[in-house]
Amino acid sequence: MTQSTISDISRALIEIAWHFGPKGLNGECCENLTMPEFIALDKISTTSQCAVQDVGYSLGFTKSGATRIVNRLEKKGYVQKIKSHEDARICCVEITKSGERVLSSANTRYMEQFHTIAAKMPEHSVADTVNMLKAMATALKG
Amino acid sequence: MTQSTISDISRALIEIAWHFGPKGLNGECCENLTMPEFIALDKISTTSQCAVQDVGYSLGFTKSGATRIVNRLEKKGYVQKIKSHEDARICCVEITKSGERVLSSANTRYMEQFHTIAAKMPEHSVADTVNMLKAMATALKG
DNA sequence: AAAAGTGGTTGACATCGTCAACCAATAGAG
DNA sequence: CTCTATTGGTTGACGATGTCAACCACTTTT
């Protein structure tokens, strides 16, 4: 029992998580966007009237962590903070044109990565693989 | 084009990578083991005469990063460094009993997580899912 | 109007990995 | 056999990133 204490399935999950995770893809998703920044930017782009804490929530960060990541994105010119008219405490975070561009570019990079991998899986069709991953992602949220 | 700039497949991959990655599972795989430590420990447990740099290589870390992570594991009592007899420059890193215990426990936790997810995927059998993930992991290495 | 709650920010801090310089040991060339 | 180049590993300084706790500003409750 000295060798191979962990199972294939754990190893596979880890491999995937590591490759597509914060450290994979050379530690950056696209240009100067880290993985958490990518997730944050996606959240912001798909949420109208996105409060700073909403960003933190989707990343599992504290609210101060949320402030920091939004500030970083703002400094890079990818988002803007605008005070809400309804409630002056809330900052609505909005994606800029530049942010949309970089988000779409990061997406492209992800897709390329995925297709490179998918091409190396002769036993599985790309469509099946995609379906399974989507199902898994859905299951993760539920 | 303001909404939803990134595709479902990217989103699914990110979801999975984030959940099973360094930040997922509450930021720790098991007890006081981080994700990179988990990977390192697995590498060490399956490699005989494991040099410090081998650990770094499997994580994509520099050699100084490798030293640091091995030291952390050593401080926690999960590995031991032993000078090689053949080449006195090399430290052979070996897993301890305590290390094996924690590795196996982390593995269990991973498996539980996976099965919870798999149970929520009615369209896909667990076996199919496992096969696909393994195929993907293999494709990643090749 | 006072008290309690909520959104956001900030300073101090811990963690973690890199870079570059370094030491020790080995291997190769003459 | 010695001198040099290479290799494995460590360390100090540093940058990046997230947390905690205290704080301010604005709202809501009483």
Side-chain angles (χ1 to χ4, degrees):
Chain A
M1 260 288 272
T2 310
Q3 300 281 77
S4 217
T5 328
I6 87 165
S7 74
D8 287 352
I9 173 69
S10 292
R11 212 171 264 120
L13 280 169
I14 288 165
E15 197 85 40
I16 295 165
W18 195 249
H19 181 88
F20 288 102
K23 297 294 171 187
L25 285 68
N26 306 319
E28 48 185 48
C29 295
C30 180
E31 294 166 42
N32 56 348
L33 215 53
T34 65
M35 174 102 177
E37 285 167 3
F38 184 18
I39 298 176
L41 204 49
D42 178 47
K43 174 71 177 174
I44 291 162
S45 85
T46 55
T47 310
S48 71
Q49 304 284 311
C50 183
V52 170
Q53 303 211 42
D54 293 341
V55 177
Y57 183 71
S58 73
L59 285 161
F61 284 3
T62 63
K63 60 181 184 167
S64 81
T67 296
R68 300 232 136 101
I69 202 163
V70 168
N71 285 349
R72 241 179 296 150
L73 287 171
E74 194 181 27
K75 188 168 288 174
K76 290 179 182 176
Y78 299 149
V79 305
Q80 264 183 315
K81 280 193 281 193
I82 297 164
K83 281 251 179 237
S84 165
H85 290 298
E86 285 89 51
D87 185 334
R89 289 169 302 181
I90 298 177
C91 286
C92 297
V93 188
E94 283 172 17
I95 192 165
T96 61
K97 284 290 165 208
S98 165
E100 276 176 30
R101 220 176 305 122
V102 81
L103 185 56
S104 148
S105 152
N107 180 49
T108 304
R109 179 128 175 249
Y110 246 78
M111 296 298 287
E112 282 169 4
Q113 277 284 324
F114 171 70
H115 281 107
T116 306
I117 302 304
K120 293 183 191 161
M121 298 167 58
E123 312 289 312
H124 303 263
S125 81
V126 175
D128 285 350
T129 307
V130 170
N131 275 335
M132 235 225 40
L133 291 174
K134 282 201 222 169
M136 234 179 121
T138 307
L140 278 173
K141 288 191 240 179
Chain B
M1 262 287 273
T2 310
Q3 301 281 76
S4 220
T5 329
I6 87 165
S7 73
D8 287 352
I9 172 70
S10 292
R11 212 172 263 119
L13 280 170
I14 288 164
E15 198 85 41
I16 295 166
W18 195 249
H19 181 88
F20 287 103
K23 298 292 171 184
L25 285 68
N26 305 319
E28 48 184 48
C29 296
C30 181
E31 293 166 43
N32 57 347
L33 214 53
T34 65
M35 173 102 178
E37 285 167 3
F38 184 17
I39 298 176
L41 204 48
D42 177 47
K43 173 71 177 175
I44 291 162
S45 85
T46 54
T47 309
S48 71
Q49 304 285 312
C50 184
V52 171
Q53 304 210 42
D54 293 340
V55 177
Y57 183 71
S58 74
L59 285 161
F61 284 3
T62 62
K63 59 182 185 166
S64 80
T67 295
R68 300 232 137 101
I69 202 163
V70 168
N71 285 348
R72 242 180 294 150
L73 288 171
E74 193 180 29
K75 189 169 287 174
K76 290 177 181 176
Y78 299 150
V79 304
Q80 266 182 316
K81 278 191 282 192
I82 297 165
K83 281 252 179 234
S84 165
H85 290 299
E86 286 91 50
D87 186 335
R89 289 170 301 183
I90 298 176
C91 287
C92 298
V93 189
E94 282 172 18
I95 192 164
T96 62
K97 285 287 164 211
S98 165
E100 275 176 32
R101 220 176 305 121
V102 81
L103 185 56
S104 147
S105 152
N107 180 47
T108 304
R109 180 129 174 248
Y110 246 78
M111 296 297 287
E112 282 169 4
Q113 276 286 323
F114 172 70
H115 281 107
T116 307
I117 303 304
K120 291 183 193 162
M121 297 167 58
E123 312 289 314
H124 303 263
S125 81
V126 175
D128 285 349
T129 308
V130 170
N131 276 334
M132 237 226 37
L133 290 174
K134 282 201 220 169
M136 236 180 120
T138 306
L140 278 173
K141 287 190 239 180

